[in-house]
Amino acid sequence: MAARDRYSRKLECPQCGHSGFAEVSEDDDPRRKDPGFQIDEMPKGFSTEFASRDPRKYMLRCQCSHKFRFESKSVYAPGGEPRR
């Protein structure tokens, strides 16, 4: 069984500017076709609109009802960048 990479990622709504840091994890093995992406802790004011094991397809909903992709903006918490 592969280990999991864990990191924090800043979520920011492009419509209202609401933001927070999500705690996420992925499988550590780069040879796997499915990265096994999962959000372990969602910040207050955000919810899952469409869950996916691919971070490029994971959709979120902000408290203002705006929907956006998880990987729409690449801003990480200090020291929270994924190892790639």
Side-chain angles (χ1 to χ4, degrees), residues 7-8 12-13 16 20 26 46 51-53 61-62 68 72 75 79:
Y7 57 95
S8 297
E12 186 172 1
C13 176
C16 72
E26 296 180 345
F46 292 98
S52 174
R53 293 180 57 84
R61 180 182 290 268
C62 178
F68 62 98
S72 61
V75 179

Side-chain angles (χ1 to χ4, degrees), residues 23-56:
E23 301 297 323
V24 300
S25 60
E26 296 180 345
D27 289 334
D28 194 14
D29 189 353
R31 297 170 293 180
R32 293 190 66 179
K33 184 177 180 180
D34 178 12
F37 174 81
Q38 135 184 0
I39 295 182
D40 300 321
E41 189 175 327
M42 186 79 74
K44 188 175 180 179
F46 292 98
S47 61
T48 299
E49 178 68 22
F50 176 76
S52 174
R53 293 180 57 84
D54 183 347
R56 294 176 302 240

